[in-house]
Amino acid sequence: MKHFFLASILAGAMALPAFAADYKIIAPANPGGGWDQTARTLQTVMQSEGISGNVQVINVPGAGGTIGLAQFASQDKGNAGALIVGGYVMVGAILTNKSPVTLKDVTPIARLTGEYEAIVVPASSPFQTFGDLVEALKKDPGAVSWAGGSAGGTDHIAVGLIAKAAGVDPKKINYIAYSGGGEALAAILGAQVSAGISGYGEFESQVKAGTLRLLAVSSADRLEGIDAPTIKESGLDVVVENWRMVAAAPGLSDEQKAAVSADIEKLVKSAAWQEQLKTKGWQDTYLSGAAFDEQLAKDVSATEGVLKDIGLVE
């Protein structure tokens, strides 16, 4: 009877769904920015889709995500329930901050989303068009201040590329780096800076409310539902896409990595995730496995080239 009872318990345990895994997600930036939004969207969808019963988001801001990355790599080794959100910004920050911990020290799982950059000014700004802003930049680069995310991140790279394409020395740009989207937004709305740059999703509600004016987007073609010209239309050959990814802890077994990858795949294929992408204006750029590892290596190499070109890395 005892053996039968034990066998019944074991059979019952094996029949339990595998989604009982709890997750904690590190958002290596302050609340309000793109990584924080990505982490909280993962949290919402993982719970609503039954992928995980309990998902906790922890903010560890600073140095373009490299502080959170270093903490994650050292404290969560072998922990299959730990994830970190990162992306193109982190690639640049690792290089500019000469971070001893890189993406090679964690287990990249998948690229999730992509988002184009938007250039905005406060409604009170004298700059009516992107051309007006570029003319001012050409006249006196230091007098045009830009609010964006971390030094060496997508926003900073985009401003450097805009300056270079306009014939301005990128080393002369007046770029002010903010750790969280909320702080940058406050500076732009308060007209403490000339312009702001970030993913369109972070400015959308203010653009629609009329408190910010959208001057241009960094896509190759105009974006559906967004009333703004591309940077290319103004005559500057600049296209920038900020992608975001999720990585697992270092030191996972192949089985553990496969289980995490399966959970993320289930998430990105869900209707709830697709709905969130639409709502937030994020492009679906899902890529996983060896294809993502290969693309990541290419992106790291290309970013290093761009950062050297615009004087952010020696």
Short mmCIF file of all heavy atoms in Angstrom, two decimals, residues 211-266:
data_model
loop_
_atom_site.label_atom_id
_atom_site.label_comp_id
_atom_site.label_asym_id
_atom_site.label_seq_id
_atom_site.Cartn_x
_atom_site.Cartn_y
_atom_site.Cartn_z
N THR A 211 2.46 67.45 -26.29
CA THR A 211 3.48 68.09 -25.45
C THR A 211 4.89 67.90 -26.03
O THR A 211 5.81 68.64 -25.69
CB THR A 211 3.44 67.56 -23.99
OG1 THR A 211 3.49 66.13 -24.02
CG2 THR A 211 2.18 68.02 -23.28
N LEU A 212 5.04 66.93 -26.91
CA LEU A 212 6.30 66.74 -27.64
C LEU A 212 6.00 66.77 -29.14
O LEU A 212 4.95 66.31 -29.58
CB LEU A 212 6.95 65.38 -27.31
CG LEU A 212 7.55 65.19 -25.92
CD1 LEU A 212 8.13 63.78 -25.81
CD2 LEU A 212 8.64 66.23 -25.61
N ARG A 213 6.96 67.31 -29.92
CA ARG A 213 6.83 67.30 -31.37
C ARG A 213 7.81 66.27 -31.94
O ARG A 213 9.00 66.32 -31.65
CB ARG A 213 7.13 68.69 -31.94
CG ARG A 213 7.00 68.80 -33.45
CD ARG A 213 6.73 70.21 -33.93
NE ARG A 213 7.74 71.17 -33.51
CZ ARG A 213 7.54 72.16 -32.63
NH1 ARG A 213 6.36 72.31 -32.05
NH2 ARG A 213 8.50 72.99 -32.33
N LEU A 214 7.27 65.36 -32.75
CA LEU A 214 8.09 64.31 -33.35
C LEU A 214 8.67 64.82 -34.66
O LEU A 214 7.94 65.16 -35.58
CB LEU A 214 7.22 63.06 -33.59
CG LEU A 214 7.85 61.86 -34.27
CD1 LEU A 214 9.02 61.32 -33.46
CD2 LEU A 214 6.80 60.76 -34.47
N LEU A 215 10.02 64.88 -34.74
CA LEU A 215 10.68 65.44 -35.92
C LEU A 215 11.06 64.39 -36.95
O LEU A 215 11.00 64.64 -38.15
CB LEU A 215 11.94 66.22 -35.51
CG LEU A 215 11.77 67.42 -34.59
CD1 LEU A 215 13.11 68.12 -34.40
CD2 LEU A 215 10.73 68.39 -35.12
N ALA A 216 11.51 63.21 -36.48
CA ALA A 216 11.95 62.17 -37.42
C ALA A 216 12.06 60.82 -36.73
O ALA A 216 12.15 60.74 -35.50
CB ALA A 216 13.31 62.55 -38.02
N VAL A 217 12.06 59.76 -37.54
CA VAL A 217 12.30 58.39 -37.04
C VAL A 217 13.47 57.78 -37.80
O VAL A 217 13.78 58.20 -38.92
CB VAL A 217 11.04 57.49 -37.18
CG1 VAL A 217 9.95 57.92 -36.21
CG2 VAL A 217 10.51 57.50 -38.61
N SER A 218 14.13 56.79 -37.18
CA SER A 218 15.39 56.26 -37.73
C SER A 218 15.22 55.01 -38.60
O SER A 218 16.19 54.29 -38.83
CB SER A 218 16.37 55.96 -36.58
OG SER A 218 15.91 54.84 -35.84
N SER A 219 13.99 54.77 -39.07
CA SER A 219 13.75 53.60 -39.92
C SER A 219 14.14 53.91 -41.37
O SER A 219 14.32 55.08 -41.73
CB SER A 219 12.27 53.20 -39.84
OG SER A 219 11.46 54.34 -40.04
N ALA A 220 14.25 52.87 -42.19
CA ALA A 220 14.59 53.06 -43.61
C ALA A 220 13.39 53.64 -44.36
O ALA A 220 13.54 54.45 -45.28
CB ALA A 220 15.02 51.74 -44.23
N ASP A 221 12.18 53.20 -43.97
CA ASP A 221 10.94 53.70 -44.59
C ASP A 221 10.03 54.25 -43.51
O ASP A 221 10.19 53.92 -42.33
CB ASP A 221 10.22 52.54 -45.31
CG ASP A 221 11.10 51.90 -46.37
OD1 ASP A 221 11.50 52.60 -47.30
OD2 ASP A 221 11.40 50.69 -46.23
N ARG A 222 9.07 55.06 -43.90
CA ARG A 222 8.12 55.61 -42.93
C ARG A 222 7.40 54.48 -42.19
O ARG A 222 7.13 53.43 -42.79
CB ARG A 222 7.10 56.51 -43.62
CG ARG A 222 7.70 57.83 -44.05
CD ARG A 222 6.63 58.87 -44.26
NE ARG A 222 7.24 60.16 -44.62
CZ ARG A 222 6.68 61.33 -44.35
NH1 ARG A 222 5.52 61.39 -43.72
NH2 ARG A 222 7.27 62.45 -44.71
N LEU A 223 7.10 54.71 -40.92
CA LEU A 223 6.45 53.68 -40.10
C LEU A 223 4.94 53.86 -40.13
O LEU A 223 4.44 54.98 -40.00
CB LEU A 223 6.97 53.75 -38.65
CG LEU A 223 8.47 53.48 -38.47
CD1 LEU A 223 8.89 53.77 -37.04
CD2 LEU A 223 8.82 52.04 -38.83
N GLU A 224 4.27 52.75 -40.29
CA GLU A 224 2.81 52.76 -40.36
C GLU A 224 2.21 53.33 -39.08
O GLU A 224 2.59 52.96 -37.98
CB GLU A 224 2.32 51.31 -40.55
CG GLU A 224 0.89 51.20 -41.02
CD GLU A 224 0.42 49.75 -41.11
OE1 GLU A 224 1.25 48.86 -41.40
OE2 GLU A 224 -0.77 49.52 -40.86
N GLY A 225 1.30 54.26 -39.24
CA GLY A 225 0.62 54.84 -38.07
C GLY A 225 1.40 55.91 -37.34
O GLY A 225 0.95 56.43 -36.33
N ILE A 226 2.61 56.24 -37.84
CA ILE A 226 3.42 57.29 -37.18
C ILE A 226 3.65 58.41 -38.18
O ILE A 226 4.23 58.22 -39.25
CB ILE A 226 4.77 56.72 -36.67
CG1 ILE A 226 4.51 55.66 -35.59
CG2 ILE A 226 5.66 57.83 -36.13
CD1 ILE A 226 5.74 54.95 -35.09
N ASP A 227 3.17 59.59 -37.83
CA ASP A 227 3.23 60.73 -38.74
C ASP A 227 4.56 61.47 -38.59
O ASP A 227 4.63 62.50 -37.91
CB ASP A 227 2.04 61.66 -38.48
CG ASP A 227 1.99 62.83 -39.46
OD1 ASP A 227 2.58 62.70 -40.55
OD2 ASP A 227 1.41 63.87 -39.11
N ALA A 228 5.60 60.92 -39.20
CA ALA A 228 6.92 61.56 -39.14
C ALA A 228 7.78 61.08 -40.30
O ALA A 228 7.71 59.92 -40.68
CB ALA A 228 7.60 61.25 -37.82
N PRO A 229 8.61 61.98 -40.83
CA PRO A 229 9.53 61.57 -41.89
C PRO A 229 10.69 60.74 -41.31
O PRO A 229 10.91 60.74 -40.10
CB PRO A 229 10.05 62.90 -42.45
CG PRO A 229 9.94 63.86 -41.30
CD PRO A 229 8.76 63.42 -40.50
N THR A 230 11.40 60.06 -42.17
CA THR A 230 12.60 59.34 -41.74
C THR A 230 13.79 60.31 -41.77
O THR A 230 13.73 61.34 -42.45
CB THR A 230 12.91 58.16 -42.68
OG1 THR A 230 13.22 58.67 -43.98
CG2 THR A 230 11.73 57.20 -42.77
N ILE A 231 14.86 59.94 -41.06
CA ILE A 231 16.09 60.74 -41.11
C ILE A 231 16.61 60.77 -42.56
O ILE A 231 17.10 61.78 -43.05
CB ILE A 231 17.15 60.16 -40.14
CG1 ILE A 231 16.67 60.29 -38.69
CG2 ILE A 231 18.50 60.86 -40.31
CD1 ILE A 231 17.52 59.53 -37.67
N LYS A 232 16.46 59.63 -43.23
CA LYS A 232 16.94 59.51 -44.62
C LYS A 232 16.27 60.52 -45.54
O LYS A 232 16.89 61.04 -46.47
CB LYS A 232 16.68 58.09 -45.16
CG LYS A 232 17.63 57.05 -44.61
CD LYS A 232 17.48 55.72 -45.31
CE LYS A 232 18.35 55.68 -46.55
NZ LYS A 232 18.53 54.30 -47.06
N GLU A 233 14.98 60.78 -45.28
CA GLU A 233 14.25 61.75 -46.12
C GLU A 233 14.85 63.15 -46.03
O GLU A 233 14.71 63.96 -46.95
CB GLU A 233 12.77 61.82 -45.70
CG GLU A 233 11.94 60.68 -46.22
CD GLU A 233 10.51 60.77 -45.71
OE1 GLU A 233 9.82 61.77 -46.01
OE2 GLU A 233 10.08 59.85 -45.00
N SER A 234 15.53 63.43 -44.92
CA SER A 234 16.14 64.77 -44.75
C SER A 234 17.51 64.82 -45.42
O SER A 234 18.21 65.84 -45.34
CB SER A 234 16.27 65.10 -43.27
OG SER A 234 17.26 64.27 -42.69
N GLY A 235 17.89 63.72 -46.04
CA GLY A 235 19.17 63.72 -46.77
C GLY A 235 20.34 63.13 -46.02
O GLY A 235 21.47 63.11 -46.51
N LEU A 236 20.10 62.64 -44.80
CA LEU A 236 21.17 62.00 -44.03
C LEU A 236 20.97 60.48 -44.08
O LEU A 236 19.92 59.98 -43.70
CB LEU A 236 21.17 62.47 -42.57
CG LEU A 236 21.28 63.99 -42.32
CD1 LEU A 236 21.38 64.27 -40.82
CD2 LEU A 236 22.49 64.59 -43.02
N ASP A 237 21.98 59.76 -44.52
CA ASP A 237 21.85 58.31 -44.69
C ASP A 237 22.09 57.60 -43.35
O ASP A 237 23.15 57.03 -43.10
CB ASP A 237 22.84 57.82 -45.75
CG ASP A 237 22.58 56.37 -46.13
OD1 ASP A 237 21.50 55.85 -45.75
OD2 ASP A 237 23.44 55.76 -46.78
N VAL A 238 21.08 57.66 -42.48
CA VAL A 238 21.18 57.05 -41.14
C VAL A 238 19.95 56.19 -40.88
O VAL A 238 18.82 56.68 -40.95
CB VAL A 238 21.30 58.14 -40.03
CG1 VAL A 238 21.30 57.52 -38.64
CG2 VAL A 238 22.57 58.97 -40.22
N VAL A 239 20.18 54.91 -40.59
CA VAL A 239 19.11 53.98 -40.18
C VAL A 239 19.62 53.26 -38.94
O VAL A 239 20.69 52.67 -38.95
CB VAL A 239 18.78 52.96 -41.30
CG1 VAL A 239 17.76 51.94 -40.80
CG2 VAL A 239 18.27 53.66 -42.54
N VAL A 240 18.85 53.32 -37.85
CA VAL A 240 19.26 52.67 -36.59
C VAL A 240 18.06 51.94 -36.00
O VAL A 240 16.98 52.50 -35.88
CB VAL A 240 19.77 53.71 -35.55
CG1 VAL A 240 20.19 53.02 -34.26
CG2 VAL A 240 20.95 54.52 -36.11
N GLU A 241 18.28 50.67 -35.61
CA GLU A 241 17.24 49.91 -34.90
C GLU A 241 17.80 49.41 -33.58
O GLU A 241 18.86 48.81 -33.54
CB GLU A 241 16.75 48.73 -35.74
CG GLU A 241 15.58 48.02 -35.06
CD GLU A 241 15.09 46.78 -35.82
OE1 GLU A 241 15.88 46.18 -36.56
OE2 GLU A 241 13.91 46.43 -35.64
N ASN A 242 17.07 49.71 -32.54
CA ASN A 242 17.45 49.26 -31.20
C ASN A 242 16.74 47.94 -30.91
O ASN A 242 15.52 47.90 -30.84
CB ASN A 242 17.04 50.32 -30.17
CG ASN A 242 17.36 49.90 -28.75
OD1 ASN A 242 18.15 48.99 -28.51
ND2 ASN A 242 16.73 50.54 -27.79
N TRP A 243 17.51 46.85 -30.76
CA TRP A 243 16.87 45.56 -30.46
C TRP A 243 17.06 45.21 -28.98
O TRP A 243 18.00 45.67 -28.34
CB TRP A 243 17.41 44.44 -31.36
CG TRP A 243 18.91 44.36 -31.44
CD1 TRP A 243 19.72 44.90 -32.39
CD2 TRP A 243 19.80 43.71 -30.50
NE1 TRP A 243 21.04 44.63 -32.12
CE2 TRP A 243 21.11 43.90 -30.97
CE3 TRP A 243 19.60 42.98 -29.32
CZ2 TRP A 243 22.24 43.40 -30.30
CZ3 TRP A 243 20.71 42.49 -28.66
CH2 TRP A 243 22.01 42.69 -29.14
N ARG A 244 16.14 44.41 -28.49
CA ARG A 244 16.22 43.98 -27.08
C ARG A 244 16.21 42.46 -27.02
O ARG A 244 15.61 41.79 -27.86
CB ARG A 244 15.05 44.57 -26.28
CG ARG A 244 15.10 46.09 -26.30
CD ARG A 244 14.25 46.77 -25.26
NE ARG A 244 14.40 48.21 -25.40
CZ ARG A 244 13.45 49.02 -25.86
NH1 ARG A 244 12.28 48.53 -26.19
NH2 ARG A 244 13.66 50.31 -25.96
N MET A 245 16.88 41.93 -26.01
CA MET A 245 17.06 40.48 -25.89
C MET A 245 16.80 40.02 -24.47
O MET A 245 16.67 40.84 -23.55
CB MET A 245 18.51 40.13 -26.26
CG MET A 245 19.52 40.74 -25.30
SD MET A 245 21.23 40.21 -25.57
CE MET A 245 21.24 38.69 -24.65
N VAL A 246 16.75 38.72 -24.30
CA VAL A 246 16.69 38.14 -22.96
C VAL A 246 17.79 37.09 -22.88
O VAL A 246 18.05 36.36 -23.83
CB VAL A 246 15.28 37.55 -22.65
CG1 VAL A 246 14.94 36.37 -23.56
CG2 VAL A 246 15.16 37.15 -21.19
N ALA A 247 18.47 37.06 -21.72
CA ALA A 247 19.54 36.08 -21.48
C ALA A 247 19.29 35.37 -20.17
O ALA A 247 18.64 35.91 -19.26
CB ALA A 247 20.91 36.76 -21.46
N ALA A 248 19.78 34.15 -20.09
CA ALA A 248 19.70 33.37 -18.85
C ALA A 248 21.05 33.43 -18.14
O ALA A 248 22.02 34.01 -18.66
CB ALA A 248 19.32 31.92 -19.18
N ALA A 249 21.09 32.85 -16.97
CA ALA A 249 22.32 32.89 -16.16
C ALA A 249 23.43 32.04 -16.77
O ALA A 249 23.17 31.15 -17.57
CB ALA A 249 22.00 32.39 -14.75
N PRO A 250 24.68 32.30 -16.38
CA PRO A 250 25.77 31.43 -16.83
C PRO A 250 25.71 30.09 -16.10
O PRO A 250 25.01 29.96 -15.09
CB PRO A 250 27.02 32.20 -16.42
CG PRO A 250 26.60 33.06 -15.26
CD PRO A 250 25.16 33.40 -15.51
N GLY A 251 26.41 29.10 -16.63
CA GLY A 251 26.54 27.81 -15.94
C GLY A 251 25.32 26.93 -15.98
O GLY A 251 25.13 26.08 -15.11
N LEU A 252 24.44 27.11 -16.98
CA LEU A 252 23.27 26.24 -17.09
C LEU A 252 23.63 24.98 -17.87
O LEU A 252 24.47 25.01 -18.76
CB LEU A 252 22.12 26.95 -17.82
CG LEU A 252 21.51 28.22 -17.21
CD1 LEU A 252 20.22 28.57 -17.93
CD2 LEU A 252 21.26 28.08 -15.72
N SER A 253 22.95 23.88 -17.55
CA SER A 253 23.12 22.65 -18.32
C SER A 253 22.37 22.82 -19.65
O SER A 253 21.53 23.73 -19.78
CB SER A 253 22.53 21.46 -17.57
OG SER A 253 21.11 21.59 -17.49
N ASP A 254 22.64 21.96 -20.62
CA ASP A 254 21.95 22.02 -21.90
C ASP A 254 20.44 21.87 -21.72
O ASP A 254 19.65 22.54 -22.39
CB ASP A 254 22.45 20.92 -22.86
CG ASP A 254 23.88 21.20 -23.34
OD1 ASP A 254 24.35 22.35 -23.15
OD2 ASP A 254 24.52 20.28 -23.88
N GLU A 255 20.06 21.02 -20.77
CA GLU A 255 18.64 20.77 -20.48
C GLU A 255 17.97 22.03 -19.92
O GLU A 255 16.86 22.38 -20.32
CB GLU A 255 18.46 19.62 -19.49
CG GLU A 255 18.80 18.23 -20.03
CD GLU A 255 20.30 17.96 -20.13
OE1 GLU A 255 21.11 18.70 -19.51
OE2 GLU A 255 20.68 17.02 -20.84
N GLN A 256 18.68 22.69 -19.00
CA GLN A 256 18.14 23.91 -18.41
C GLN A 256 17.98 25.02 -19.46
O GLN A 256 16.96 25.70 -19.52
CB GLN A 256 19.04 24.41 -17.27
CG GLN A 256 18.97 23.57 -16.00
CD GLN A 256 20.00 24.02 -14.97
OE1 GLN A 256 21.16 24.25 -15.31
NE2 GLN A 256 19.57 24.15 -13.73
N LYS A 257 18.99 25.15 -20.30
CA LYS A 257 18.94 26.17 -21.36
C LYS A 257 17.77 25.89 -22.32
O LYS A 257 17.04 26.79 -22.72
CB LYS A 257 20.27 26.22 -22.14
CG LYS A 257 20.28 27.33 -23.18
CD LYS A 257 21.57 27.37 -23.99
CE LYS A 257 21.47 28.45 -25.08
NZ LYS A 257 22.65 28.50 -25.95
N ALA A 258 17.60 24.61 -22.65
CA ALA A 258 16.51 24.22 -23.56
C ALA A 258 15.14 24.52 -22.95
O ALA A 258 14.22 24.97 -23.64
CB ALA A 258 16.63 22.73 -23.89
N ALA A 259 15.02 24.30 -21.63
CA ALA A 259 13.75 24.56 -20.94
C ALA A 259 13.43 26.06 -20.94
O ALA A 259 12.28 26.47 -21.20
CB ALA A 259 13.80 24.03 -19.51
N VAL A 260 14.44 26.89 -20.67
CA VAL A 260 14.24 28.35 -20.67
C VAL A 260 13.89 28.81 -22.09
O VAL A 260 12.95 29.59 -22.30
CB VAL A 260 15.50 29.10 -20.16
CG1 VAL A 260 15.31 30.61 -20.30
CG2 VAL A 260 15.79 28.75 -18.70
N SER A 261 14.62 28.29 -23.08
CA SER A 261 14.37 28.65 -24.48
C SER A 261 12.95 28.30 -24.90
O SER A 261 12.28 29.06 -25.61
CB SER A 261 15.37 27.95 -25.41
OG SER A 261 16.69 28.36 -25.12
N ALA A 262 12.47 27.14 -24.44
CA ALA A 262 11.11 26.69 -24.77
C ALA A 262 10.07 27.63 -24.15
O ALA A 262 9.06 27.95 -24.79
CB ALA A 262 10.90 25.26 -24.27
N ASP A 263 10.33 28.07 -22.91
CA ASP A 263 9.40 29.01 -22.25
C ASP A 263 9.34 30.34 -23.03
O ASP A 263 8.26 30.90 -23.22
CB ASP A 263 9.86 29.28 -20.81
CG ASP A 263 9.42 28.19 -19.85
OD1 ASP A 263 8.62 27.32 -20.26
OD2 ASP A 263 9.88 28.20 -18.68
N ILE A 264 10.51 30.82 -23.46
CA ILE A 264 10.56 32.09 -24.20
C ILE A 264 9.89 31.94 -25.57
O ILE A 264 9.16 32.83 -26.02
CB ILE A 264 12.01 32.61 -24.34
CG1 ILE A 264 12.61 32.93 -22.95
CG2 ILE A 264 12.09 33.83 -25.25
CD1 ILE A 264 11.88 34.00 -22.14
N GLU A 265 10.09 30.79 -26.20
CA GLU A 265 9.45 30.56 -27.51
C GLU A 265 7.92 30.54 -27.36
O GLU A 265 7.20 31.11 -28.18
CB GLU A 265 9.94 29.24 -28.12
CG GLU A 265 9.40 29.02 -29.52
CD GLU A 265 9.98 27.83 -30.25
OE1 GLU A 265 10.74 27.05 -29.62
OE2 GLU A 265 9.66 27.67 -31.43
N LYS A 266 7.45 29.89 -26.30
CA LYS A 266 6.01 29.84 -26.04
C LYS A 266 5.46 31.26 -25.83
O LYS A 266 4.40 31.61 -26.34
CB LYS A 266 5.74 28.97 -24.80
CG LYS A 266 4.26 28.73 -24.54
CD LYS A 266 4.01 27.85 -23.34
CE LYS A 266 2.52 27.72 -23.05
NZ LYS A 266 2.24 27.04 -21.78
#
